[in-house]
Amino acid sequence: MKISEEMKETIKQSYKFTIRPWTSVTGLSYIGYGHTIKDTENFTIFQKKKCLELFEKDIRYVNRV
């Protein structure tokens, strides 16, 4: 699956952007543009630039699948 630039912008607009991790009612933690924090990751505060890099990394993963 290839995610277009237009879709990436839609995703960014859909997710609550945050530089600090937050936990949903389901118990999953997120940062940036909806990145699900894995057990092996430890984030405290991210600058927006780092959140965008993480978002692009997530998109590259989806594009590979």
Side-chain angles (χ1 to χ4, degrees):
M1 170 190 295
K2 176 82 169 129
I3 296 179
S4 68
E5 293 299 316
E6 188 175 279
M7 179 55 89
K8 289 196 296 189
E9 291 305 314
T10 300
I11 292 168
K12 287 180 189 176
Q13 292 174 14
S14 298
Y15 281 91
K16 177 180 105 177
F17 174 78
T18 177
I19 61 171
R20 290 182 175 81
W22 62 278
T23 303
S24 71
V25 295
T26 63
L28 294 174
S29 295
Y30 301 91
I31 194 166
Y33 290 103
H35 172 77
T36 303
I37 300 174
K38 298 164 188 66
D39 292 338
T40 57
E41 296 175 320
N42 183 20
F43 299 119
T44 52
I45 297 176
F46 256 29
Q47 293 180 351
K48 188 166 186 172
K49 179 182 175 186
K50 289 290 185 185
C51 288
L52 287 169
E53 290 171 7
L54 189 58
F55 176 75
E56 289 298 328
K57 182 180 174 185
D58 289 344
I59 293 297
R60 283 191 304 274
Y61 174 79
V62 171
N63 281 340
R64 284 190 338 204
V65 176

